[in-house]
Amino acid sequence: MLKLSTTKRSIIDFRLAKGTDIMIKKEMIAMLLAGGQGSRLGVLTSKVAKPAVAFGGKYRIIDFPLSNCINSGIDTVGVLTQYQPLRLNTHIGIGIPWDLDRNIGGVTILPPYEKSTNSEWYTGTANAIYQNIDYMETYNPEYVLILSGDHIYKMDYEVMLDAHKANGAEVTIAAMPVPYDEAKRFGIVITDMNRKILDFEEKPENPRSNLASMGIYIFNWKTLKEALIKLADQPALDFGKHLIPHCFKNGAPMYAYEFNGYWKDVGTLNSYWEANMELIDIIPEFNLYEEYWKIYTKNECMPPQYLGPENVVEKSIIGKGSNIYGKVYNSVIGCGVTIGKDAVVRDSIIMNRAEIGEGAELNKAIVAEDVSIGDHVVLGYGDEAQNETDPGIYNHGLVTIGEKSVIPPGVKIGKNSVVSGITTAEDYPDTYLGGGKTLIKVGDKA
């Protein structure tokens, strides 16, 4: 059930001016930053923006902040896209799955555009917002919510706004406690007992607090607009590096909103794999099945799943239209996937429309969309070795197969390896690609 009946977030005030002009008033609008490449996901984002990467069998990452918006009563969302936007734009469309197909408000795709004086890409998070001041001005909001399009979580932004107003804040930063030994990886806020922000630390070696910024902000529109215009000439204008410190130095009342629910930045292959695996725990830390806070997505018209006579499925998510003839353990299977007879899939993520051949064996693999895995292929074979090209990306024993790749029959691929492109038997000496190896065909990139 959408929580729209009593909220004030979607109030619209029409006032006629000079007989023809119409002014629109929204209390709060959201600006969703969805243009990043997500390079730490390697070949998974070589052809698609990170927010459009499949997640949890039937969803895409951007479904989570979009669902949070409509569940919180926010019906006006600007989605700022840039890198590989086609699939993301197609997925969002006019916002029907999230009840954001509105005549006034709704969801609007905001790519970079050519201007009369110059043309430029979005060069930083705050620069992207600055380039869309006219869009925000259209709705004359009291408050602007800034979101990232690549986090997995559920949050009621209405509660955060209530705290913002109760504190008399001009800027509120959502923050969550993290272990002190991990705090140095985050931007840290130092607050008093009332959560008023006293100082910031960007990835401190010896943190004075464990409240980490989540990259979710509420600004008074006047404060945000003035800061954006003031800092417009700053190269690669960024919220964390430039705009937030500017507001703080200029005396804007700033507060932290402490969030204690599930939140995951799926910015690395291992965190992406972990977040998917957490969905299938017996008591999942992140529950997709709650009636009161649903996650909405674009649903394709597909037939139901088919489980063959000799199949085994244990502790797994199986998407619509999938045909399972083999064995699946502790895995997340997308929509329209085929897993052949006698194949065994363990601890893996198989995305939409992938085909797994007969007798194949997949261990801790991430297989992107539209991949074809031949008969008797083994993924995750042998001992673990450090990846030879990008050990910071391809690690933790995962095997990663890029979108639309073809793996010929009988091949064995080692742990921490990555394959992308249409490969043939000649690409695998002795039918083997060792652990830590990289095989990316011309036209693909990591």
Side-chain angles (χ1 to χ4, degrees), residues 103-124:
N103 289 329
I104 299 175
V107 67
T108 304
I109 304 296
L110 299 169
Y113 59 94
E114 185 172 359
K115 308 167 188 67
S116 58
T117 54
N118 62 57
S119 299
E120 61 176 335
W121 293 105
Y122 296 148
T123 58

Side-chain angles (χ1 to χ4, degrees), residues 60-74:
R60 299 195 182 272
I61 294 172
I62 200 169
D63 292 335
F64 294 86
L66 282 176
S67 297
N68 287 340
C69 283
I70 198 63
N71 287 333
S72 301
I74 299 170

Side-chain angles (χ1 to χ4, degrees), residues 21-42:
D21 295 335
I22 297 179
M23 295 181 64
I24 305 168
K25 178 71 174 177
K26 297 270 185 176
E27 184 179 30
M28 184 163 76
I29 66 172
M31 300 293 281
L32 204 167
L33 296 160
Q37 179 179 354
S39 58
R40 293 179 299 160
L41 289 179

Side-chain angles (χ1 to χ4, degrees), residues 2 63 66-67 70 91-92 95-100 296-298:
L2 297 182
D63 292 335
L66 282 176
S67 297
I70 198 63
H91 178 70
I92 295 172
I96 292 174
W98 306 274
D99 193 29
L100 289 171
Y296 301 92
T297 190
K298 179 181 179 181

